[in-house]
Amino acid sequence: MIAVLAAAALSTLKFLVAMVPVFSVGVIVAEFIVALGWVNKIAWITRPLTRIGHLKPECGASFLTAFLSPSAGNAMLVRHHEAGLITRKELIIAAIVNTFPGIVMHWRTVLPIAIPLIGIYAFVYYGFLLLVGLLKTIAAMLAGHFLLEPDNAHAIIPSAEKQVGVSPSWALWVESAKKSRKIIIRVIKTTIPVTAVMFVLIHAGMFDYLNTWLSGLTAFLPLSPKALSIVATRLASNVGAFTVAGNLLYASKLSGREVVLSLLVGNLLASGINLRFLIPYYLGIFGPGTGWQVLAVSTGLRMAIMAALIWTLFVIWT
């Protein structure tokens, strides 16, 4: 038990060191951008997005930021919600929309590994992941279109610079940091216990049991035994799945279509395993109440779309 607690403490520390600085910088940058009135200046870039989803320009700015860092983009949403600029409903919808930039940037962990192993099918697989993310974003925007007020997308955000007469300077950064301190401290207080509990469960083997249970589901899938080996490997390792797929493809044991389907099925089943990282991430940034809502809606919507896509491909390709 002591070894489990020690390992969990080390993992918690590593997670916090990686997440908290990025989140903190995101909140401070959000405060700074609002103070300068930049939200209005860059609103035209995401105006089609915010107009369809009836989202305020602040949400569009966070969407752009999420291409650089999803944590920073979501931190901006938290800051805007705390400042009363967006409602909780807008926060949840915008947070789901913000998952798309993360999926786009996922190429950095997929393509460099997959291309040498499965060739052109790496782009096919990645393309389907993008399609799932795009459909999820469209679904979120449609939800915003019907659930939010149309005037949201045309709201004008007052510039703090004009209100207080401050010029862009180091002093404004310091002021932004001071205003962000309350949010950052609250998030850290939530993140530490949630992360610690999750890593205790991870090192205690709870997710290993989940992995074993999910592996058992492969017996019910309409895939060949060789294709099932890719699915089972994907639950343990993304790189391992590409390696197994590449070997089977090179040996002509599986077709490219079977490889892509197997990787997609493995990706779907791995959603349960990924909760070990998603729970502390979402609950830490958005708080327990909103965090659970964003996590449940985002993960559930993605799994539903992914399952529908896989079923469609099974029908078309078999």
Side-chain angles (χ1 to χ4, degrees):
M1 186 61 182
I2 295 178
V4 170
L5 293 176
L10 181 60
S11 297
T12 300
L13 180 61
K14 289 180 179 179
F15 181 86
L16 293 174
V17 167
M19 194 274 283
V20 171
V22 175
F23 173 82
S24 302
V25 169
V27 175
I28 295 171
V29 169
E31 191 73 48
F32 186 75
I33 288 175
V34 172
L36 292 178
W38 287 356
V39 172
N40 289 324
K41 294 178 182 178
I42 64 175
W44 64 272
I45 301 176
T46 57
R47 187 167 290 123
L49 180 79
T50 55
R51 182 172 295 167
I52 294 172
H54 291 170
L55 296 168
K56 290 194 178 74
E58 293 97 332
C59 299
S62 73
F63 179 79
L64 292 178
T65 304
F67 279 99
L68 301 175
S69 168
S71 297
N74 287 328
M76 292 179 68
L77 291 178
V78 173
R79 184 270 168 204
H80 296 323
H81 176 61
E82 292 282 339
L85 296 174
I86 61 175
T87 65
R88 184 175 179 178
K89 189 182 296 183
E90 291 171 292
L91 171 66
I92 294 172
I93 292 173
I96 296 172
V97 171
N98 274 6
T99 60
F100 183 68
I103 296 171
V104 172
M105 302 313 293
H106 194 48
W107 72 266
R108 295 175 295 184
T109 58
V110 173
L111 296 182
I113 300 169
I115 291 174
L117 294 171
I118 60 176
I120 189 65
Y121 297 105
F123 294 99
V124 178
Y125 171 65
Y126 176 67
F128 282 131
L129 294 183
L130 283 181
L131 177 61
V132 170
L134 178 62
L135 292 175
K136 185 173 79 166
T137 298
I138 291 174
M141 289 192 298
L142 289 176
H145 184 82
F146 291 106
L147 296 176
L148 301 177
E149 294 297 327
D151 293 339
N152 276 358
H154 308 289
I156 301 297
I157 296 86
S159 168
E161 178 188 356
K162 294 180 180 179
Q163 292 173 349
V164 296
V166 221
S167 59
S169 64
W170 176 251
L172 190 56
W173 279 109
V174 173
E175 184 64 25
S176 298
K178 288 180 179 179
K179 290 182 178 180
S180 304
R181 183 170 54 188
K182 181 180 177 182
I183 301 175
I184 293 171
I185 291 175
R186 179 184 60 77
V187 168
I188 291 175
K189 285 181 177 179
T190 303
T191 303
I192 291 176
V194 170
T195 304
V197 169
M198 285 305 303
F199 278 112
V200 167
L201 293 175
I202 289 171
H203 289 285
M206 190 199 81
F207 284 92
D208 292 333
Y209 287 117
L210 179 60
N211 193 1
T212 302
W213 181 77
L214 289 172
S215 297
L217 295 178
T218 58
F220 302 97
L221 297 172
L223 293 170
S224 68
K226 291 183 177 63
L228 289 176
S229 66
I230 298 176
V231 177
T233 306
R234 175 61 182 84
L235 295 176
S237 168
N238 195 29
V239 177
F242 289 133
T243 303
V244 173
N247 290 331
L248 292 172
L249 189 62
Y250 180 77
S252 299
K253 301 293 185 181
L254 289 179
S255 67
R257 292 180 297 179
E258 290 176 298
V259 165
V260 172
L261 275 171
S262 301
L263 290 172
L264 289 173
V265 171
N267 187 287
L268 173 62
L269 294 180
S271 300
I273 304 298
N274 292 338
L275 290 175
R276 57 185 171 177
F277 302 114
L278 294 177
I279 290 175
Y281 174 80
Y282 279 108
L283 269 63
I285 290 181
F286 296 107
T290 304
W292 279 117
Q293 286 183 296
V294 174
L295 176 61
V297 174
S298 180
T299 303
L301 188 57
R302 181 185 182 277
M303 291 180 68
I305 295 173
M306 178 71 81
L309 173 64
I310 292 172
W311 180 83
T312 303
L313 292 178
F314 268 120
V315 172
I316 294 174
W317 282 355
T318 56

